[in-house]
Amino acid sequence: MSSTSRSQLFGDLDVTAQLDAPIGAERTWFGIGGKADALVSPQTEEALVTLIERCAQSSTPVRILGKGANLLVDDDGVDGVVVLLDTPAFSGLKFNREGRVHRLHAMAGADLFKTVNELKRQGLAGMEQMAGIPGTIGGGLRMNAGGSYGCIGDTVDTVRCCSMSGEVLYYERSQLEFSYRKSNLPECIVLSATFNLEPDDPVAVRSRVSEIWAAKKASQPMADHSAGCAFRNPLDRDGERVPAGRLIDEAGLKGLAEGGASVSTQHGNFIITDPNATASHVRRLMRIVQDRVMDHHGIRLEPEVVIWERTGITAE
Ligand code: EPU
């Protein structure tokens, strides 16, 4: 990114910025992949909204980086601006009470693990289904993150977000729709959200959370580098959702390797990486798995992992 683009986009804004930031290696769970031309952390909502507006006006690509839990950055890195919502203005949790309902106000960059831990501490029920799901509140809402115990859309009440042209939008529960790994939020940057929770015995909340963690530890390769499930669970010919992990397992692909990337021998839907892996190894392995599952089951797997690559759009 040229110094002119840089100063026009965020030179006068309340942000911290890092150029050629190694986001793939340092900020994704895979720990592989290239750099971001510019990694920008806004200190205020105003700075974020102005930055988004300017990026829209100059056709500069913008991407939001959460915890990098579900992300593969291409080896050549990414252009434009990568926004990190890690400053205090974007990571807080606040609570207030209306009768029996306890409302959680969560900022978009708040960590899901920390959120579930805080609810355990306070004895608030309604978000245990998010135990063990990595990521942020904002990223989680965009893709309706979750697992077999439920998803984030089950408990959310309102969402505030910023459109890709810099307009602040507000959605009530009645306007929100969530389905499997999908929400009806438009392409936007979530700013904050509220969740309605109920008081419960902290011991009971803690034991529900522990149960989910134990099931996850028993079935998933948690000690390895991965981005969680590589593929979405697809629909079969009868319209039933089937586990991608089982389809990959039945196709005999566990342990299959491409360079430093391999299909976990523990759970078929996890691609794990060793220190020699590159993003290209993972992408090639994903294509091989898709082809083999198609040959074996006649079902096309779609990636759940988000892949970032250069757009080739130059902001000038
Ligand atoms: N299975 C196999 N072989 C395998 C893996 C799974 O036969 O190699 C079978 C299991 O025995 C089970 C079924 O497939 O009968 C489903 O497996 P699992 O319970 O592990 O659930 P999943 O559908 O593979 C989903 C989410 C996970 C989430 C878990 C647990 C998706 C794509 N995956 O996995 O989310 O952790 O439920 O709640 O929806 C993620 O989002 O990154 C992720 C890992």
Side-chain angles (χ1 to χ4, degrees):
M1 175 178 285
S2 71
S3 59
T4 321
S5 311
R6 238 160 41 217
S7 60
Q8 283 169 354
L9 287 170
F10 50 81
D12 59 338
L13 298 181
D14 191 5
V15 301
T16 53
Q18 188 188 353
L19 304 178
D20 288 325
I23 57 167
E26 292 183 3
R27 294 184 182 271
T28 68
W29 278 40
F30 265 135
I32 54 173
K35 296 180 178 178
D37 288 357
L39 178 66
V40 182
S41 295
Q43 304 291 331
T44 63
E45 193 175 295
E46 194 191 349
L48 169 68
V49 172
T50 309
L51 174 64
I52 299 304
E53 231 166 39
R54 289 180 186 173
C55 287
Q57 283 156 7
S58 59
S59 302
T60 304
V62 181
R63 299 172 178 86
I64 310 297
L65 180 58
K67 297 286 161 187
N70 194 36
L71 175 67
L72 179 65
V73 178
D74 188 65
D75 295 317
D76 290 336
V78 287
D79 47 0
V81 168
V82 172
V83 175
L84 194 59
L85 300 179
D86 63 340
T87 51
F90 294 102
S91 33
L93 299 177
K94 276 194 231 149
F95 294 87
N96 74 331
R97 197 174 161 176
E98 288 158 26
R100 193 172 158 77
V101 174
H102 286 239
R103 255 168 117 67
L104 162 65
H105 297 254
M107 300 307 292
D111 182 77
L112 281 172
F113 289 158
K114 284 193 189 146
T115 306
V116 171
N117 274 339
E118 183 57 24
L119 301 182
K120 248 167 50 177
R121 208 181 60 76
Q122 297 210 18
L124 292 174
M127 271 178 96
E128 295 89 324
Q129 75 278 16
M130 299 312 290
I133 307 283
T136 58
I137 292 281
L141 282 166
R142 281 302 309 277
M143 63 166 295
N144 192 20
S148 12
Y149 299 86
C151 46
I152 196 165
D154 296 346
T155 338
V156 72
D157 191 41
T158 63
V159 179
R160 271 181 79 241
C161 54
C162 169
S163 76
M164 297 319 278
S165 53
E167 191 190 352
V168 176
L169 307 167
Y170 178 80
Y171 295 91
E172 301 269 357
R173 173 80 233 184
S174 57
Q175 299 166 288
L176 295 168
E177 282 164 31
F178 293 96
S179 52
Y180 176 76
R181 301 295 167 274
K182 210 171 139 190
S183 74
N184 67 339
L185 289 168
E187 210 198 327
C188 68
I189 296 157
V190 174
L191 297 171
S192 62
T194 64
F195 298 84
N196 287 343
L197 304 165
E198 293 232 342
D200 197 351
D201 177 3
V203 176
V205 178
R206 202 171 307 134
S207 94
R208 286 196 294 272
V209 167
S210 305
E211 201 182 301
I212 297 176
W213 266 106
K216 203 176 154 82
K217 279 187 190 144
S219 67
Q220 301 183 359
M222 297 187 64
D224 291 304
H225 281 282
S226 79
C229 286
F231 299 99
R232 296 157 66 87
N233 287 342
L235 296 173
D236 66 11
R237 287 190 197 86
D238 304 323
E240 297 288 327
R241 213 163 274 288
V242 285
R246 199 174 72 213
L247 298 177
I248 295 167
D249 192 353
E250 286 170 358
L253 303 177
K254 278 182 165 175
L256 181 73
E258 178 68 25
S262 60
V263 176
S264 163
T265 50
Q266 193 181 354
H267 192 300
N269 202 9
F270 279 67
I271 289 184
I272 58 174
T273 51
D274 68 25
N276 306 316
T278 63
S280 313
H281 294 158
V282 175
R283 296 184 76 172
R284 276 210 297 273
L285 183 59
M286 286 177 74
R287 281 194 290 270
I288 296 170
V289 169
Q290 283 172 312
D291 290 347
R292 299 264 194 100
V293 167
M294 176 54 95
D295 290 346
H296 197 273
H297 295 283
I299 294 176
R300 171 88 189 156
L301 292 180
E302 297 300 334
E304 172 166 299
V305 169
V306 174
I307 300 171
W308 282 1
E309 57 192 356
R310 287 188 178 274
T311 59
I313 301 170
T314 43
E316 213 56 80

